[in-house]
Amino acid sequence: MGLVRWWAANAFPPSTAILDLGCGSGVPIAQALAGDGFAVWGIDASPSLLSAYRANLPNMPARCEPVQHSDLFARRFDGVVAIGLIFLLSEAEQDTLLAKVAHALKPDGRFLFSAPRQRCEWHDTLTGRESRSLGAEAYAARMAEHGLVLVGGLTDEGQNYYYDARKSA
């Protein structure tokens, strides 16, 4: 969560609109971003988690729907975060989501998401779902196809890897 706060603080001025995909209950990421003065919008497919999000962040817009089927509020954002989400989607759904995020970002907008650097598959113990990372080269190439440029990679204290991308102007 500290890494996400650092990223947002260094990428945007306060009050910037940031979309949190797979926001869950809003704790800790959306809550921390909102506490830092950002306008956070959340999307999550779980009714119970979205109910908790609405209780934790009553003044922040939220929708209960799968991100891969969402219109992402049919608006543009300065930033989008997807922490612990993209690798839960199929390869085709990941590509669809990258295209949607690129469309939802304003020019020079930023996208931060977590996934392993290497291409791999595993059984996610938190969700019980099969998970897959396409790997750094594939993510960079697919993002480029949608007008997103990989500007860097970050690693948090738990050694989780984050991709930091910018939408072309």
Side-chain angles (χ1 to χ4, degrees), residues 15-20 23 26 29-35 37-42 53 57 59-62 73 77 81:
S15 77
T16 295
I18 299 176
L19 175 61
D20 185 358
C23 63
I29 293 169
Q31 191 173 61
L33 291 172
F38 296 102
V40 184
W41 302 56
Y53 181 96
L57 297 147
N59 298 320
M60 300 296 165
F73 291 96
F77 293 90
V81 296

Side-chain angles (χ1 to χ4, degrees), residues 68 85 87-90 93 122-132:
Q68 62 271 37
L85 169 73
F87 52 76
L88 296 172
L89 305 175
S90 71
E93 289 171 328
W122 71 98
H123 185 79
D124 187 68
T125 56
L126 182 63
T127 64
R129 297 176 62 180
E130 290 301 314
S131 301
R132 68 209 44 78

Side-chain angles (χ1 to χ4, degrees), residues 71-133:
D71 69 359
L72 308 184
F73 291 96
R75 60 157 288 167
R76 300 249 175 155
F77 293 90
D78 297 293
V80 177
V81 296
I83 310 305
L85 169 73
I86 198 164
F87 52 76
L88 296 172
L89 305 175
S90 71
E91 190 167 337
E93 289 171 328
Q94 289 186 43
D95 195 51
T96 296
L97 185 60
L98 291 172
K100 285 181 179 224
V101 167
H103 181 73
L105 280 171
K106 293 178 181 177
D108 289 323
R110 301 280 288 274
F111 178 39
L112 183 73
F113 70 95
S114 62
R117 286 184 59 124
Q118 68 279 13
R119 182 175 184 87
C120 58
E121 294 185 12
W122 71 98
H123 185 79
D124 187 68
T125 56
L126 182 63
T127 64
R129 297 176 62 180
E130 290 301 314
S131 301
R132 68 209 44 78
S133 171

Side-chain angles (χ1 to χ4, degrees), residues 34-48:
D36 289 344
F38 296 102
V40 184
W41 302 56
I43 297 176
D44 200 282
S46 168
S48 60

